[in-house]
C-alpha cells in the first residue's frame, strides 16, 4: 500500500566523523594553564612597573630587588612569583613554558590598583580550578598570589 522510503530521512543523524574528545582532567588542565598564564601576564606587568622609576627608565638591579618600590610593589617578590607561575604552566602544558609578553609603559596609581585587582581575580579563578582539579601545588600558589595581591590592594587603599 505504501511505497518504502528510498532516501535517508533529514532527521537521522549523519555519521559524525571521529572527533577527539578530551577528558575532564585534560579540560581542567587547559583551563588552569590558561588562568595561570593570564596571571603571569599581569604579574609581569606589575613587575615591570615595580622596576621602573618615575621617568620610565629601568632601575639598577640592586634597588629593585631590595624591597617595595612603586606603589608598594616588591620587584623581587613579583619576579619570583612569575617564575613559579611559569613553572606551573609548563607542568600543566607538557613542559612547554608560556610565551611572555613585553610589558607596557606607564604606571599611574589607578593602573597599578587595576592590575592588582585583576591579578587578585585571576588568582581566585586559578584557585577555584586548582581546587576542582585537586592540584595541591597550583592551589597553594594561587592562594599565595591571591593573598599577596589582596595585601597590596589594602596597602594602596591606605596610602
Amino acid at each position: 500500500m505504501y511505497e518504502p522510503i528510498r532516501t535517508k530521512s533529514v532527521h537521522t543523524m549523519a555519521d559524525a566523523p571521529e572527533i577527539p574528545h578530551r577528558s575532564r582532567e585534560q579540560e581542567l588542565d587547559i583551563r588552569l594553564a590558561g588562568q595561570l598564564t593570564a596571571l603571569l601576564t599581569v604579574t609581569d606587568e606589575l613587575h615591570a612597573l615595580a622596576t621602573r622609576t618615575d621617568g620610565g627608565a629601568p632601575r639598577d638591579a640592586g634597588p629593585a630587588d631590595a624591597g617595595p618600590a612603586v606603589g608598594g610593589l616588591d620587584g623581587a617578590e613579583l619576579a619570583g612569583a612569575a617564575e613559579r607561575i611559569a613553572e606551573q604552566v609548563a607542568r600543566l602544558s607538557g613542559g612547554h613554558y608560556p610565551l611572555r609578553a613585553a610589558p607596557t609603559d606607564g604606571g599611574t596609581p589607578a593602573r597599578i590598583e587595576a592590575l592588582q585587582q585583576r591579578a587578585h581575580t585571576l588568582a581566585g579563578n586559578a584557585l577555584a580550578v586548582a581546587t576542582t582539579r585537586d592540584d595541591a601545588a597550583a592551589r597553594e600558589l594561587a592562594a599565595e598570589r591571591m593573598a599577596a595581591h589582596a595585601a597590596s590592594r589594602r596597602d594602596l587603599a591606605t596610602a
Side-chain angles (χ1 to χ4, degrees):
M1 181 161 168
Y2 294 104
E3 185 176 338
I5 298 173
R6 295 181 196 170
T7 59
K8 290 191 172 191
S9 170
V10 294
H11 300 291
T12 58
M13 294 292 291
D15 290 335
E18 283 299 313
I19 299 172
H21 295 284
R22 291 184 279 242
S23 68
R24 182 173 188 269
E25 185 74 19
Q26 290 170 321
E27 289 291 339
L28 288 172
D29 283 352
I30 291 166
R31 187 168 172 205
L32 181 57
Q35 293 292 335
L36 289 174
T37 301
L39 179 59
L40 176 62
T41 301
V42 175
T43 303
D44 282 342
E45 190 82 20
L46 287 167
H47 178 258
L49 292 173
T51 57
R52 295 192 184 277
T53 62
D54 293 338
R59 290 184 180 187
D60 296 326
D65 295 335
V70 179
L73 300 175
D74 183 351
E77 192 264 335
L78 288 167
E83 287 307 314
R84 289 192 316 276
I85 294 168
E87 288 169 5
Q88 287 297 317
V89 173
R91 180 180 62 86
L92 293 165
S93 302
H96 301 289
Y97 275 81
L99 295 175
R100 294 173 78 169
T104 59
D105 288 333
T108 64
R111 177 165 164 67
I112 293 171
E113 187 175 347
L115 285 171
Q116 290 286 9
Q117 172 63 41
R118 180 73 178 140
H120 184 265
T121 301
L122 288 167
N125 291 345
L127 179 60
V129 177
T131 300
T132 301
R133 191 179 170 279
D134 199 26
D135 186 334
R139 187 173 51 231
E140 181 180 322
L141 176 62
E144 171 194 315
R145 298 312 312 148
M146 201 170 163
H149 292 295
S152 293
R153 286 178 45 223
R154 279 192 304 272
D155 292 346
L156 284 172
T158 59

